[in-house]
Amino acid sequence: QVQLVESGGGLAQAGGSLRLSCAASISSLSISSMAWYRRVPGKQRELVASITSGDNTNYADSVKGRFTISKDNAKSTAYLQMNSLQPEDTGVYYCNLQRRGPDGLAGYWGQGTQVTVSS
C-alpha cells in the first residue's frame, strides 16, 4: 500500500504564495506520475498540475504561469509552488500518484490539504 503525506496548505492573502509537498512511501522508480488536484467549493475535483517520471508537466489553464510542479526523486516527493494566489484558488488540494505495477498503473490519493486565499 502506498501512503502519501501532504503538507504546506494553509491561509494566504491574495497575491501571496504557498508551497505544497507530497511525500510518497515508495521508491520513485515505481512512480509513473504525480499530480495535484483540487476541489473547489461547488465544483468537481479538477486537475491542477501533473508531472511524469520523465519530467513532463501539464497545468490547468487557470494556473499556468502562477503554479509550478516539481519533484525530488531521491525523496519521492512532489511539490506545488503556488504564486500569485487568488481567492478562486481556495479549496482542498489532493496529491495523486500513479504507480507502475505488474498489472499496469494503480492510483493513490493523499488525504488532502486545505488552501484558503483571502482577498
Side-chain angles (χ1 to χ4, degrees), residues 23-41:
S25 61
I26 60 172
S27 167
S28 61
L29 296 175
S30 299
I31 299 173
S32 175
S33 65
M34 296 184 75
W36 290 96
Y37 287 74
R38 68 184 179 191
R39 177 171 286 148
V40 177

Side-chain angles (χ1 to χ4, degrees), residues 47-67:
L47 176 67
V48 176
S50 64
I51 185 167
T52 69
S53 57
D55 292 332
N56 292 314
T57 58
N58 183 48
Y59 296 92
D61 288 342
S62 60
V63 307
K64 284 181 180 176
R66 301 188 298 123
F67 290 10

Side-chain angles (χ1 to χ4, degrees), residues 84-106:
S84 302
L85 283 163
Q86 303 169 1
E88 308 87 84
D89 296 317
T90 294
V92 181
Y93 285 68
Y94 298 90
C95 178
N96 174 269
L97 179 149
Q98 297 293 312
R99 179 184 187 181
R100 297 189 190 92
D103 299 323
L105 296 178

